[in-house]
């Protein structure tokens, strides 16, 4: 089954709703990737656009906004390419059409401040594919159907009972056989009519029919109560801030550690969670290069306050993306909120050892053995790389040691050998 969902007419109202969510200090961009937050907020912001809200809620559950930010902000991908790739993945994983997924990804990218001018606009698809007798091209949309219980004769006779069939997208619709009979959805159908002639006493068979329908009506009432209970307004969505740091000075804004180097191989992932509830858990997830597998939880800590600082010590062996999640309970695998990713890079450090060091001034002859620890997963890639040496030395015939040089020169006359 393919579900057609997307913009119903002018989308300025949708853009305004998403912009207000991102600019809200209590929610911000992370709320676009939270089904719980989007379902709650869009019911208030887009009450007359349930089709648009339905696909945006599904996009939040799939993490479209977070995927776009990851590709554009972290990987440097062009926004139009990122939207196309993410929308295609969304379409393959869900029952929505490619056009609907493209629209949702474009709207979320626009709300995140990405340049969407180069992205072609998709035609507005409808919520469901027209079938025989349903509204199609040139046909007006039908009003929501209604259910009606036929009048029964005998002691249980009463005015017809009606209940709407339409519901918020994604909610179940409860209906008993025969409720949607033709001719019952007429104006005034729920008002008392003229006096009816007395009906003969119902036979046992008719009583059973009436009792069955009455039980069905009771089941419908119970179902409505359950829907109200299960779809009660959720609590506040947790807000998460996260950062990464190490003992090494950042390079071009990038945080890095040295692989297997004592004192310089660890980094700290810091964060703060707020607007959380009792019993919730903060979890740290890691996703190492080449990012082919989903993030996995590597640490958990209970949240004891509504606003709590967090700190995790990590020792990556490859470039790794870290995120902080808030889980409703220790056993839950579905997060209430997920932070943005913070990347920690891993550099290699060479450990030198002089096997020959003869330095009668002004000329020196040295042999240096360099040992470079490499993570097993990166060994083949590192072995294939070319090694370059930059050398600097001040030579004087005699006297005190000269000052350190200020520039380095590439040496191309060195010989190398590997064990």
């Amino acid at each position: 089954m393919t579900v057609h969902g997307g913009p119903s007419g002018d989308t300025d109202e949708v853009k305004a709703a998403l912009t207000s969510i991102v600019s809200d200090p209590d929610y911000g961009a992370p709320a676009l990737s939270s089904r719980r937050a989007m379902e709650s907020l869009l019911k208030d912001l887009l009450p007359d656009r349930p089709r648009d809200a339905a696909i945006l809620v599904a996009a939040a559950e799939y993490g479209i906004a977070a995927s776009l930010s990851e590709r554009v902000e972290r990987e440097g991908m062009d926004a139009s390419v990122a939207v196309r790739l993410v929308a295609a993945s969304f379409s393959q994983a869900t029952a929505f059409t490619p056009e609907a997924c493209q629209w949702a990804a474009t709207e979320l990218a626009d709300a995140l401040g990405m340049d969407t001018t180069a992205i072609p606009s998709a035609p507005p698809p409808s919520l469901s594919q027209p079938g025989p007798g349903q509204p199609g091209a040139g046909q007006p949309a039908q009003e929501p159907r209604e259910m009606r219980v036929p009048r029964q004769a005998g002691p249980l006779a009463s005015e017809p009972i009606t209940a709407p069939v339409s519901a918020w997208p994604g909610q179940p619709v409860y209906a008993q056989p025969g409720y949607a009979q033709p001719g019952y959805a007429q104006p005034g159908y729920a008002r008392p009519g003229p006096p009816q002639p007395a009906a003969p006493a119902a036979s046992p068979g008719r009583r059973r029919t009436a009792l069955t329908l009455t039980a069905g009506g009771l089941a419908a009432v119970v179902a409505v109560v359950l829907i109200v209970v299960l779809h009660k307004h959720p609590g506040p969505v947790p807000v998460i801030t996260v950062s990464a740091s190490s003992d090494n000075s950042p390079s071009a804004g990038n945080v890095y550690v040295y692989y297997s180097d004592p004192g310089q191989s660890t980094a700290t992932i810091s964060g703060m969670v707020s607007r959380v509830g009792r019993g919730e858990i903060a979890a740290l997830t890691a996703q190492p290069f080449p990012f082919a597998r989903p993030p996995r939880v590597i640490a958990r800590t209970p949240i004891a306050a509504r606003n709590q600082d967090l700190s995790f010590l990590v020792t990556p062996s490859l470039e790794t993306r870290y995120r902080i999640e808030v889980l409703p309970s220790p056993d839950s695998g579905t997060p209430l909120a997920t932070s943005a990713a913070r990347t920690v890079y891993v550099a290699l450090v060479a450990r030198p050892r002089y096997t020959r060091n003869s330095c009668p001034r002004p000329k020196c002859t040295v042999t240096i053995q360099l040992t470079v620890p490499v993570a097993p997963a990166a060994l083949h890639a590192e072995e294939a790389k070319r090694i370059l040496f930059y050398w600097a030395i001040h030579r004087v015939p005699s006297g005190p040691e000269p000052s350190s040089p200020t520039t380095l020169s590439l040496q191309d006359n060195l010989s190398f050998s590997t064990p």
Side-chain angles (χ1 to χ4, degrees), residues 25-375:
D26 289 335
Y27 295 100
L32 299 181
S33 298
S34 170
R35 177 186 177 91
R36 183 182 180 187
M38 291 289 279
E39 190 170 29
S40 173
L41 294 171
L42 293 181
K43 282 185 179 180
D44 296 330
L45 296 174
L46 299 175
D48 300 325
R49 306 177 75 97
R51 292 184 299 177
D52 301 349
I55 189 171
L56 291 173
V57 169
E61 183 175 25
Y62 192 71
I64 294 297
S67 297
L68 289 172
S69 298
E70 189 72 30
R71 293 175 180 269
V72 174
E73 298 174 7
R74 294 291 171 184
E75 300 177 7
M77 186 179 294
D78 183 76
S80 60
V81 177
V83 167
R84 186 169 65 254
L85 293 178
V86 171
S89 176
F90 184 33
S91 178
Q92 292 175 358
T94 64
F96 291 102
T97 61
E99 294 82 6
C101 296
Q102 173 88 4
W103 170 82
T106 303
E107 292 297 325
L108 292 171
D110 186 62
L112 293 170
M114 300 176 184
D115 183 10
T116 60
T117 55
I119 303 174
S121 58
S126 60
L127 180 62
S128 58
Q129 187 173 6
Q134 295 180 347
Q139 292 181 331
Q142 296 178 355
E143 293 296 324
R145 295 182 296 109
E146 292 176 322
M147 301 185 297
R148 182 180 176 97
V149 180
R151 178 185 300 278
Q152 300 296 320
L156 296 177
S158 62
E159 286 300 314
I161 303 174
T162 60
V165 171
S166 60
W168 184 267
Q171 292 183 351
V173 176
Y174 297 86
Q176 300 296 324
Y179 273 19
Q181 297 186 15
Y184 284 126
Q186 301 297 328
Y189 58 87
R191 300 173 184 172
Q196 300 293 324
S203 64
R206 295 177 65 86
R207 289 197 187 96
R208 283 195 296 270
T209 302
L211 289 173
T212 300
L213 290 174
T214 303
L218 179 60
V221 173
V222 173
V224 172
V225 173
L226 288 176
I227 292 174
V228 172
V229 172
L230 294 176
H231 289 79
K232 65 181 180 180
H233 194 282
V237 178
V239 177
I240 311 172
T241 60
V242 63
S243 62
S245 62
S246 72
D247 291 337
N248 304 308
S249 299
S251 175
N254 297 315
V255 176
Y256 70 96
V257 298
Y258 286 110
Y259 176 74
S260 190
D261 185 45
Q264 294 184 303
S265 61
T266 60
T268 300
I269 307 300
S270 304
M272 188 187 77
V273 293
S274 57
R275 299 169 62 90
V276 294
R278 181 178 302 176
E280 294 178 349
I281 301 295
L284 179 68
T285 68
Q287 186 182 31
F289 180 86
F291 318 117
R293 296 182 179 180
R296 64 182 183 90
V297 175
I298 60 172
R300 298 172 184 258
T301 184
I303 301 175
R306 288 186 60 82
N307 299 283
Q308 182 168 323
D309 293 324
L310 303 170
S311 181
F312 301 94
L313 193 65
V314 296
T315 308
S317 59
L318 298 171
E319 173 190 352
T320 303
R321 297 170 181 169
Y322 295 97
R323 298 175 177 86
I324 295 177
E325 298 179 343
V326 174
L327 304 174
S329 66
D331 299 329
S332 175
T334 303
L336 301 175
T338 302
S339 74
R342 292 293 178 261
T343 302
V344 176
Y345 297 89
V346 180
L348 303 181
V349 59
R351 298 168 183 168
R353 185 174 73 88
Y354 287 84
T355 61
R356 180 184 179 188
N357 188 2
S358 174
C359 196
R361 292 188 177 187
K363 185 177 181 180
C364 296
T365 302
V366 298
T367 301
I368 305 174
Q369 184 183 64
L370 298 175
T371 302
V372 183
V374 180

Side-chain angles (χ1 to χ4, degrees), residues 371-392:
T371 302
V372 183
V374 180
L379 182 59
H380 293 298
E382 294 299 327
E383 284 182 332
K385 293 181 180 178
R386 181 186 176 191
I387 300 176
L388 300 177
F389 270 88
Y390 289 82
W391 193 269

